[in-house]
Amino acid sequence: MLVSHLDMSSRCPILSFVDIKWKLGVAMSSDTCRSLKYPYVTVTLKVADPSGQITDKSFEMTVPQFKNFFRQFKEMAAVLETV
């Protein structure tokens, strides 16, 4: 099924990218595990909705997931350079 751009924008408003921040952390322990020592990356995307309201969207990834995320951003940047 094909959906026109107009139909899509009325169903899900387009968010504008404002900023990205990331930080590396290590989980040292939890309630159920005394020693985790598990590295993770927290990514926070700052986005603006069509009205200009800015919100933060945060999520955590493993280091391999973050490396893949970063690689995909580099690929997007390379494609955008050709436009």
Side-chain angles (χ1 to χ4, degrees):
M1 175 174 125
L2 294 175
V3 179
S4 73
H5 175 65
L6 183 58
D7 289 341
M8 276 303 280
S9 63
S10 66
R11 290 184 193 167
C12 35
I14 297 174
L15 300 176
S16 299
F17 175 75
V18 177
D19 194 18
I20 185 171
K21 293 182 181 180
W22 63 273
K23 66 180 178 178
L24 179 63
V26 178
M28 298 305 288
S29 66
S30 74
D31 293 341
T32 59
C33 186
R34 289 182 183 247
S35 179
L36 291 174
K37 298 181 183 146
Y38 188 80
Y40 62 92
V41 178
T42 301
V43 177
T44 302
L45 300 174
K46 190 172 291 238
V47 295
D49 66 18
S51 72
Q53 179 73 29
I54 296 176
T55 57
D56 289 342
K57 307 288 185 183
S58 297
F59 51 94
E60 291 181 353
M61 293 184 263
T62 64
V63 172
Q65 288 172 324
F66 180 73
K67 287 180 179 179
N68 183 49
F69 180 74
F70 179 70
R71 180 187 53 76
Q72 290 176 5
F73 260 84
K74 285 175 41 177
E75 289 174 6
M76 287 188 291
V79 169
L80 291 173
E81 289 293 323
T82 64
V83 177

